[in-house]
Amino acid sequence: MTQGTTRAARRRYYDERETWPQERREADLFARLPAQIAHAKAHAPAYARLLADIDPSEITSRAALARLPVVRKSELLELQQRERPFGGFAAVGWGREVLRVFASPGPIYEPEGNRPDHYRVARALFAAGFGEGDLVQNTFSYHMTPAGSMMETGAHALGCTVFPAGVGQTELQVQAIADLKPNAYTGTPSFLRILIHKCREAGVALSLRKAFVSGEAFPPALQREVAEAGIDAYQGYATADLGLVAYETEAREGLVLDEDVIVEIVRPGGSEPVPEGEVGEVVVTTFNPVYPLIRFGTGDLSAVLPGISPCGRTNTRIRGWLGRADQTTKVKGMFVHPSQVLAVASRHPEVRRARLVVENPNLSDVMILECEVAQGDDDLRQAIETSLREITKLRGEVRFVPPGSLPNDGKVIDDRRKYD
């Protein structure tokens, strides 16, 4: 049996939008956005409250979108506990429009709509070389969480056949590789490594030749090991709530954004977009009619990668996952949040950027607010220290640093305490 299609024998892009000029893409997305916001207000009770004073017809640019509140994933658990099952963010109830409901850790519940390729993963699988005739060994979980369904529905949209292997049962998975000879893999990179090693130990010829991995880091050393096993592997960034956000292409330079999301990089804990190239929190707006998430804060850090991908796709690229934005910490028994640090800085226009450093010399917590200012004097220092005390209810020192000197790593709170 002939398996799969070669990259050379098929079309180069999933659809023409991948090569649109960025101006056309932006115009298309923001022409569609007002209707999505109106739909959310009309059918999702949470957005009816959050956006009560918003006229959807006016949200036609990034600047207008940035005025809307950010709803963070870290808040969803509490919101859903107050209003089951989806915190008021779903636009439909049980029935034909919702095929499945999943539970991510928390639990946080997510609905899956009835549209083919609900999570839009087909685009990423296509960029990874998947196509009609492939047999995909899908090792993501099919139980409770949506990852298995995300990959399967995307693969089916491309005409692939799927072996729903799920998680674990390594010996049976190796036996399936021996018997079925799947040529494609979806799952975590660490489990792919396990299968490579188990096949070698069992003397089973590894039939896998392409892979799409997600769910965890895919470090360079593991990338080399997978490539040496003869597998062309690509990574993607997706979440249970949003579906596909960005994906890797043959250029191997960052991750290209999906064509059906609007992505902003904002100050961690805040809502203001950061300058291009600066690390911040990934905030996503989707056009999903079932679960219309608008300015959804993922809690993940990333940054825009300048320029256009050499692969020919013209959409914006991000650098991939760079850590977590939720840097809440406890100082002297009190929680300090990134949003509080931003609130302190916002009171003083002279402060361009700020970072709260927490140390514990002599095992006693000390807060130092490092502020980028062009010129700082004692009056400004005292004013900022007063704001810090009023907002956090804790005393802290202010230290002025030159503009541009704070690291570009997305940290608003830098906990440097040591306890050994």
Side-chain angles (χ1 to χ4, degrees):
M1 179 181 295
T2 301
Q3 287 186 323
T5 58
T6 65
R7 190 178 293 273
R10 65 193 186 117
R11 66 186 192 277
R12 186 172 180 185
Y13 304 112
Y14 183 70
D15 61 29
E16 66 171 8
R17 291 185 297 166
E18 294 184 357
T19 59
W20 276 1
Q22 187 69 327
E23 296 79 7
R24 180 179 179 185
R25 178 178 294 108
E26 287 281 294
D28 177 71
L29 290 171
F30 284 94
R32 295 161 58 192
L33 183 59
Q36 177 70 345
I37 294 174
H39 171 73
K41 286 188 65 175
H43 300 285
Y47 282 116
R49 295 188 293 269
L50 284 169
L51 307 179
D53 299 327
I54 298 298
D55 180 353
S57 67
E58 295 179 354
I59 312 303
T60 57
S61 67
R62 289 187 177 269
L65 179 61
R67 294 198 296 268
L68 304 187
V70 173
V71 175
R72 288 189 158 80
K73 182 160 186 153
S74 58
E75 302 167 345
L76 265 190
L77 177 59
E78 180 182 347
L79 293 170
Q80 288 195 357
Q81 286 173 340
R82 275 194 247 148
E83 189 176 351
R84 290 296 189 194
F86 304 117
F89 289 93
V92 298
W94 308 132
R96 294 183 180 180
E97 291 180 285
V98 177
L99 295 183
R100 302 177 183 89
V101 59
F102 292 102
S104 294
I108 295 175
Y109 297 103
E110 302 101 6
E112 179 184 308
N114 62 3
R115 296 183 304 170
D117 191 25
H118 169 82
Y119 302 98
R120 308 177 317 282
V121 171
R123 184 181 304 280
L125 294 177
F126 183 89
F130 287 51
E132 186 171 355
D134 287 337
L135 174 58
V136 181
Q137 186 149 338
N138 184 14
T139 68
F140 275 117
S141 175
Y142 280 80
H143 177 63
M144 299 288 280
T145 59
S149 184
M150 292 171 76
M151 298 300 140
E152 179 169 289
T153 53
H156 284 165
L158 295 177
C160 302
T161 300
V162 175
F163 171 54
V167 176
Q169 303 185 86
T170 311
E171 291 76 13
L172 291 177
Q173 299 229 21
V174 169
Q175 185 62 51
I177 290 174
D179 295 339
L180 299 175
K181 296 180 174 51
N183 66 323
Y185 168 94
T186 51
T188 63
S190 61
F191 192 66
L192 177 57
R193 181 177 185 272
I194 290 172
L195 289 182
I196 291 170
H197 284 254
K198 290 295 184 181
C199 282
R200 287 174 183 163
E201 292 172 5
V204 171
L206 188 67
S207 56
L208 301 173
R209 290 294 173 263
K210 60 186 77 171
F212 181 75
V213 299
S214 190
E216 62 186 26
F218 190 27
L222 183 51
Q223 293 178 32
R224 290 192 294 271
E225 185 174 348
V226 169
E228 288 168 359
I231 301 172
D232 194 18
Y234 294 80
Q235 55 190 316
Y237 172 34
T239 77
D241 325 86
L242 300 164
L244 181 68
V245 177
Y247 59 99
E248 190 174 25
T249 74
E250 65 265 29
R252 309 287 188 179
E253 291 185 6
L255 304 179
V256 176
L257 296 183
D258 177 47
E259 297 294 328
D260 287 298
V261 294
I262 298 173
V263 172
E264 304 166 273
I265 308 294
V266 310
R267 301 269 180 218
S271 62
E272 174 193 0
V274 301
E276 183 174 305
E278 187 171 319
V279 175
E281 181 181 3
V282 178
V283 170
V284 182
T285 296
T286 74
F287 293 87
N288 182 345
V290 170
Y291 204 35
L293 296 176
I294 297 165
R295 296 207 89 199
F296 183 75
T298 64
D300 295 324
L301 294 176
S302 192
V304 169
L305 189 64
I308 294 175
S309 174
C311 73
R313 292 172 178 83
T314 55
N315 206 344
T316 302
R317 299 174 297 168
I318 59 175
R319 287 172 54 189
W321 188 80
L322 299 177
R324 291 293 294 169
D326 186 4
Q327 299 156 28
T328 299
T329 191
K330 188 178 281 189
V331 180
K332 295 183 179 180
M334 300 276 289
F335 281 109
V336 180
H337 303 272
S339 58
Q340 292 175 302
V341 178
L342 296 179
V344 173
S346 68
R347 285 191 179 185
H348 306 277
E350 301 91 341
V351 178
R352 301 184 182 183
R353 291 176 63 204
R355 168 185 299 227
L356 186 70
V357 176
V358 184
E359 298 176 334
N360 63 337
N362 303 317
L363 298 181
S364 179
D365 291 347
V366 174
M367 297 196 315
I368 303 167
L369 186 64
E370 297 182 336
C371 300
E372 289 188 0
V373 297
Q375 291 182 332
D377 55 26
D378 287 340
D379 289 343
L380 179 59
R381 189 190 316 276
Q382 291 174 14
I384 298 173
E385 288 177 351
T386 298
S387 296
L388 181 63
R389 184 171 62 253
E390 290 176 352
I391 290 174
T392 68
K393 311 306 180 188
L394 294 163
R395 293 184 181 274
E397 171 190 340
V398 168
R399 178 185 300 158
F400 295 137
V401 298
S405 62
L406 292 179
N408 180 24
D409 56 9
K411 284 187 179 180
V412 176
I413 299 177
D414 186 5
D415 192 340
R416 300 178 187 174
R417 289 174 288 190
K418 298 179 181 179
Y419 299 96
D420 50 3

